[in-house]
Amino acid sequence: MSNTAVAELVTVTVAGTPVRAEITEIIKFHTSEDGRFADVRLVDGTVVGRADTLDIELTAAARGAIAAA
């Protein structure tokens, strides 16, 4: 698997500390009455479960690839 970032997770911790991490893979989407979520893999291999999709931003390269498709 490539470690090329396709998106960034931009959120805050419970304590209010800003978090910005590069995402290499969106593993799975979840939809519930609470909203839309995604399990994502970060560049360091860490899997973050149920990240709020509103906290995910595509990188410029990913936006360009989608626009070209």
Side-chain angles (χ1 to χ4, degrees), residues 4-67:
T4 302
V6 295
E8 288 185 314
L9 178 62
V10 182
T11 187
V12 294
T13 65
V14 173
T17 307
V19 175
R20 187 171 205 102
E22 292 182 318
I23 297 170
T24 57
E25 179 182 9
I26 297 174
I27 301 167
K28 182 177 181 182
F29 282 103
H30 309 274
T31 302
S32 71
E33 54 195 41
D34 297 327
R36 294 190 59 172
F37 304 92
D39 297 341
V40 298
R41 185 177 323 278
L42 304 180
V43 170
D44 67 1
T46 304
V47 174
V48 176
R50 292 184 58 87
D52 192 322
T53 56
L54 295 175
D55 293 338
I56 297 173
E57 297 179 0
L58 290 177
T59 62
R63 285 192 302 270
I66 290 169

